[in-house]
Amino acid sequence: MRGLILALVLTLAGNVSVTFYFSIEPVFHTGKTYLYGYESFILHGLPGRGSAMAGVRLTCKLEISHVSQSDHLLQIRSPKLEEFNGFWPTDPFTPSSRLTDTIAACLSQAFKFEYTEGRVGSIFAPEDCPILCTNLVRGILNMMQITIKKSQNVYELQEAGIEGICQTRYVIQDDSKNNRATISKSKDLTNCQDKAVKNMGMAYIRPCPTCPLKVRNIKGTVMFTYKMKYDDSGALMTSATSKQVYQVSPFNEPNGAAVMEARQELYLVDVKRTPISAPKTQLQNQGSLRYHFSGELLHMPIPLIRIRNPDLQLTETLRELVQNNEEAATKEASIKFLRMVQLFRIVTLDQIESLWAQFANDLPYRHWFLSAICAAGATDTFRFLKQKIHDEKLLLFLQTFLTCPQIQKAPTLRIIVYLAYGSMVNKYCAQTSLCPNELLQPLHDLATEATSKGDAKDMALALKAIGNAGEPASIKRILKFLPTFSPAAASLPNRIHVDAVLALRKIARKDPAKVREISLQVFMDNTLAPNVRMVACVVLFETKPALPTVTAMASSMLTEPSLQVASFTYSHMKALAVGRIPQLYNLSAACNIAIKLLSPRLDRLSYRYSKVMHVGDYSCEYQAGAIWRVYLMNSPNTMFPSDIITKVRGYYANTVALRSQSLTELIRKKNIPFTEYDTYKTLKELGKTLLGWKELPLEDPLVSAYVKILGQEIAFVDIDKDAIQQTMTVLTRLVVVKKVVEEVQRGISGQWTLPAMVAELRHIVPTVVGVPLELSLCGAMLAQAAADVHMQMSPPLSDNFRPSQLLETNMDIQADIKPKAYFHMTAMMGINTQYFQSGLEFHAELSANTTMKFDARINMKEKNLKLETPPCRQEVELAAVRYRRAFYAISRNMEKVDSEKKSHLVPEGEVPSISNQPFQPSERPSRPGSWKVRRPLTVLQTGRKSYARIFCRKFESLGCSACLSLKSRNPAFLRKTYLHKLVGELEAKIVLKPVHTDAEIDKIQLEIQAGSKAASKITDVASSGSKEEDEPSLYENIQAKLKKILGIENVFKVANKTRRRKKRIHTEEKTAVTDLWAVPSATPLSSSSSSSTASSADGKDPGNEHKKNEIRQSGKQAGSSKSSSRSSSVSSASSKICSSSSEEHSGDRHCSGDSDYSNPQPKFLGDSKAPVLAAVLRAIHRDGQPTGLQLVLYTDTQPMRSRTQVFVSSITGSSRWKLCADASVINSHKVLGYLKWGKDCQDYQIATQIATGQFAAYPAVQMKLEWPKVPSIVRTTARWLYSFLPGAAYVLGYSQRQQRSPSHQATLVMALTSPRTCDVVLKLPELTIYDRAIRLPLPFPSSPGTPISALPSPERNIFSQATFSVIENLKARCSVFQNTITTFNGVEFNYSMPTNCYHVLVQDCSPELKFLVMMKRLEESDDIIAINVRLASHEVDMYVSNGLIQLKINGVQAPTDVPYTSNSEGKHLSASFFISTKTQVAFWMAGKTCGICGKYDAEKEREYQMPSGYLAKDAVSFGQSWIISEDPCAGACKLQRKFVKIEKPVAFEKAAAKCFSVEPVLQCLEGCSATGTVPVPRVLVHNTTPASHSALDLEGQTNLGQKSEDVVSRVSAHTACSCHQQPCPA
């Protein structure tokens, strides 16, 4: 056994390492000529049988001769090129004689190449030899490239070849007995260091180098096999074969891939003694074996064009385009437009100039000319545009355009130029490792110039353009705009910091490590604004940081003082943690770990804080996915998000962002002169007494937005106050408005065309044969619009025009508008050269068109609109979308340009279905009657899966029918892949077809009448009959007539009869109206069955038969445990909402379990109200009898209730079809509505109810929907949607259970369990879905938290109260009760105020300084306080004197029982008894307040912010910092701030030292002694001399926070003083 193992080990070792005693590299001996036969071919198609393929084959004879040392000659004899187009392998190759002659001509002369030890060196070819022929020679010599290691027979290395330097694996099998060797070589074409590849339009597509091979769309490999015969003189290559395969899967499907297969075969024929004669012409060095690209990108993947006279061909094509445009031939126009683009890439600059001189003055030709020349993108076309920009203002050209005077004068054009230039630099540098500095210099110069001038707009433009360029060389320029790296940048606006960080996003693709380092430092910098740090967080995660970096970010968030930044970072990590994109696997794993550290602190933050919303999915089957993220960056200074960025990323990334700054300043009331009021001046003076007080910097209102497509910013706009004022100035210019109106009156007539090449993506790689393999996608779009619009106005506009005149005019409009759009896309996989094309071609067409022709008459004064359109005389397409997709195997060559070979990739014929084929027995039965074999009818199944549906609706009264036609056809019999489904046709169109009528229709008319004359437009089509003799009055006759006209007299009669048959519900209890602000009982939601049982104990609830059935089914389960009943109580049918109707004075109680709506049936509003709107759609016949439909709208609005009724009926006498809709507010807690239609509105019905009440003792709202009878199509659609509900509920995390409910009823209950959470129960006929504690985006009060005075009156309905309560709850409230203070942010702390010293409770810290509220505690009692309010020009004092409340307004005594109101900025002040005080500010003051109540910025970690802006170390220091210093002789406060010396030595650096406080401490005045003290922490400075100490006064307090901190110790601060007589001046 051991011997066998040893033999096996030695055998394996021998396979890995071997020593060759003879050289096996191919050797060609001097004086000999080696004759080889060569054959190669390329085929393109789908894998498997049954699909067409296209390809070419090259066969020839080769002669190789060794000339000297390493030089060899190669002579190609008898080349023959053949084409293949058909089904492999049954169809033959077709010779191409002219193409063979072309190839033979360039291969007729000998080629020289260097060859040493199996490696091919330089290749030499004739000077006039085309690159295509040289590359064919490279393909032949590539087979001779061999790298032999004599000591190994299995090894890997990076080997050079025609495709570049790629990973190669060798396996050598030596047959030493016969002196033969077999060499196998394979290359991984997806693992190349220096791959030969050419891309166009691919700069914005981000590859995934970390993705595994299986998720790549393009995979390639090549295998070689060599047969060698060797002896003492060397080795001879007897044969060589190669096989290359490229697999392209657009949808990453294993079976849905297109395949390119290339094969080569080289075999030895003979060896001659006569060498090849040396070439007579001089040979030029053509480089190495690597494939050379030449003009591949010049030839678009469109049918070949035989270039004879390019300028003449361009002229002919241009004339055909203009002619086709007039004839609306969109398909032909798009194809010719691409031909025109192709020709512009070939012509010279002189030819372009000649064509321009010919067509410049002809508008139709000029438009097509400029569109094509811009799409060409060739060097000469850019030179032409550069020459024309100075006088024609056409387009942009690199740097010259940046300094063009015409562009500098147009701000919008200047922005476009700089952004486009940055994108062009990015595209140019995408293919190079280093980008030339001279290309980036114009952008750097703009940034430098803008900084020196302090121009924020140019700074933003420069940063955005640099961001588009995305080059690491610009990092140093960007850092100058970030305060973290440049202190001078701290004075720049906040939005410039954001733009600087965003400019790093694209640079991160080239240098992620450097950008990660920068963005991490910005993110950790607490001195920056929160939105700057949040943007840095976004950029940091786009660099895909590793686990240590993510963990460090999470650790810093545990102590992060800004909750906005912490919330944003945490939610961003949560969004990344759920990602399934392969590129983000490592980042997702790291974020999963990080969120576990942060979730206890940050998981329950409200929507007041910044968030990242994420929606995305990834399919592992198709290796494709997409994500959508919305970054909501809230600012502490506003309730609105300061930055909103939405990003969609799949194969491409599109970004839309909105940034707002001081948005509330734009929407609230302005133009209030606060600086002129006394309060503004007073606050300026008081600010000097506060310790280092700083007001907030002035922020200009700004709204900015930008759009990024494929990572490139294409447009941005800044809207500030100046821009709004300029816009309003333009709009208020009556001359401009009048000119616009007059221009429309003259008429708009013409035809417009917009051609564009929307995409050109090309990826070209070489094949082993030597021809290029191209994968390309090219799309052209053509948008057309023909319009003829005329308008007349009467009376005509006067000279002194006023906009109000438009409301008193009659306008007649005649319009005929025909928009059309056509999109044509071509995708190709194959060979695309200037001589021939062969491969697979995919075509897709998308067209959409519509027609609008009408005459309109508008009478603004009478509120009348009349619209007329021609009737349906022939079939007309209102809108159509066509998508034709064709997959072909094509073969084209210059020999026959006009005749191409094209085969459908999928057979078009009929294919027998295998499921319908009969079985034919080989022998007949022995007995004739034993079996009866019938030959079944052969059923043929089409080779494509078809779908066709037509939905039509006839409107006979209008003489037309509307049809929706859907057609689809695709191959489904080969393989069920998306690639196969992509082939086929799709058509969707809406068509109007004429319908035969008895009388011919002249026109169709729509008339809408609003206001008091609406009743006059109601058409009477019913026979009025004889009048009754006992008519009560003319008014009642009108009511009856309206009912008869509308055909609704029977509707209300039937309804009333139905109501009388119903049993009225009475309950013995009287229940008060449930209010949303009522205090809920302590009964939890899970025990609602006990409370709900009482309401149904009497058994009088109608419509609850389904409950009885449930009781019968579960009668044997009465002994179940209470825990089980609690768990199922959420979805139990016993939980109801009950609400009281205020209109029923008997106190009848209506519960949500009532299936019928036991409310008074709606009455016809026309009995007491005139219609407010009437609309009649009629067909005008020649006999004068109209047919059609009419709509009448009634409304009735009352303080307690409102109602709306809509009736639609036919004006044709024979029709009884009607539609009735009614919506009414029954009381302040209930809304009902129904919709009926059919014959007399009795066939179908849908009813709904919305009610408020209680659900398990919580305030709740219930929405109920009933459908007693609906059409079948509605039921079918509902079932289809119903099937998705269980899965959707599972994905969203909702609980569900199977439970029977009423079969035609759905109920949704939402119970408010807290201001920010609610419980939801959705009951469907067979399913109940529910969930608890769902977070609400906005707070909604569920307990008495709103002041009673602020609540609306009970008469207002609850739905108005809901809106009011949300707005009220957005306001901030601060309260002071004894020593407990609750700030605007909800932080509660204890602070004992020193007596007789005013504290700043809250004040406006914005530059406007609108108001100030001060408070002090009186000596009489610790529970009594005095308040001083300063607002605009008013000063209000509220205090207690002799046990009575006193109120002074501007120094004048006022009665205390009369509220005082000031309308300035909406403040409401009132006097009342106050042991405590409550202050409320509007939501637009968020982040703009300061004082003891805080900043109202939701930053709870930074609540103790002192006037200097620094954070106090405790509540006492915070409260004392807001004490207002007073004159000791004029005020009652006997405390002042002083610097103190610590008498007790403090241990400092292991030695006793004397220290001084850096910040002043409250001390009693001179002559006063402290009667109360409190210790406060203070920063102490070591070795401060008395001179320096005395120099510290209150004038230099702004820099106190910047003092060095030696040690922190507690210092006694005085809180109460006992004073003797003080020396005060008389």
Side-chain angles (χ1 to χ4, degrees), residues 30 197 230 341 388 394 443 523 586 817 902 1023 1111 1152:
T30 306
V197 63
Y230 56 86
V341 174
K388 300 302 175 185
L394 295 178
L443 303 181
F523 175 74
N586 295 334
I817 305 173
K902 182 184 293 186
S1023 175
I1111 294 173
S1152 62

Side-chain angles (χ1 to χ4, degrees), residues 599-785:
S599 57
R601 179 178 185 244
L602 303 173
D603 194 46
R604 303 295 291 180
L605 289 179
S606 68
Y607 284 87
R608 176 68 173 85
Y609 299 93
S610 304
K611 300 288 184 182
V612 177
M613 295 188 293
H614 170 89
V615 177
D617 195 14
Y618 185 80
S619 172
C620 297
E621 180 182 2
Y622 298 108
Q623 305 297 332
I627 56 174
W628 175 47
R629 291 198 186 110
V630 179
Y631 303 98
L632 297 176
M633 304 178 188
N634 292 349
S635 172
N637 298 333
T638 177
M639 289 294 294
F640 300 100
S642 60
D643 295 83
I644 302 175
I645 302 176
T646 177
K647 175 182 177 182
V648 179
R649 180 180 174 188
Y651 290 105
Y652 308 102
N654 300 333
T655 304
V656 178
L658 174 67
R659 182 186 305 158
S660 65
Q661 174 179 306
S662 297
L663 185 61
T664 52
E665 302 296 323
L666 293 176
I667 62 176
R668 70 178 180 88
K669 186 170 65 176
K670 294 290 292 182
N671 300 324
I672 300 177
F674 292 105
T675 56
E676 300 177 3
Y677 291 142
D678 296 336
T679 301
Y680 179 85
K681 301 174 184 178
T682 304
L683 285 176
K684 279 289 187 181
E685 294 298 326
L686 289 178
K688 298 178 182 179
T689 67
L690 294 174
L691 185 62
W693 181 75
K694 297 178 182 178
E695 66 181 33
L696 295 176
L698 179 64
E699 289 186 353
D700 294 329
L702 173 71
V703 176
S704 62
Y706 67 85
V707 178
K708 282 188 176 183
I709 297 180
L710 305 179
Q712 296 293 313
E713 189 163 334
I714 62 172
F716 75 94
V717 61
D718 291 336
I719 304 174
D720 53 10
K721 185 168 67 174
D722 295 335
I724 295 176
Q725 290 178 352
Q726 292 176 3
T727 304
M728 296 302 297
T729 302
V730 172
L731 293 178
T732 53
R733 291 178 182 174
L734 302 182
V735 179
V736 177
V737 179
K738 185 178 180 181
K739 285 184 178 180
V740 172
V741 175
E742 290 176 349
E743 188 68 26
V744 176
Q745 281 186 279
R746 294 190 191 100
I748 301 174
S749 180
Q751 187 172 358
W752 298 271
T753 304
L754 176 63
M757 191 164 66
V758 294
E760 186 178 9
L761 307 177
R762 302 174 69 184
H763 177 75
I764 306 173
V765 293
T767 63
V768 291
V769 176
V771 294
L773 170 64
E774 177 171 337
L775 308 173
S776 60
L777 179 68
C778 183
M781 184 192 71
L782 193 63
Q784 292 181 333

Side-chain angles (χ1 to χ4, degrees), residues 783-794:
Q784 292 181 333
D788 187 8
V789 181
H790 298 278
M791 185 179 72
Q792 295 180 356
M793 299 181 64
S794 62

Side-chain angles (χ1 to χ4, degrees), residues 1376-1407:
V1376 179
F1377 180 74
Q1378 295 181 351
N1379 292 335
T1380 302
I1381 299 175
T1382 304
T1383 65
F1384 289 138
N1385 291 332
V1387 176
E1388 186 177 294
F1389 63 93
N1390 292 326
Y1391 171 62
S1392 179
M1393 292 185 181
T1395 57
N1396 292 330
C1397 292
Y1398 270 116
H1399 292 67
V1400 176
L1401 186 62
V1402 59
Q1403 79 169 64
D1404 179 12
C1405 283
S1406 69

Side-chain angles (χ1 to χ4, degrees), residues 230-250:
Y230 56 86
D231 53 19
D232 295 341
S233 61
L236 176 64
M237 182 190 301
T238 58
S239 68
T241 60
S242 71
K243 181 180 180 181
Q244 184 184 35
V245 175
Y246 264 105
Q247 179 176 299
V248 181
S249 178

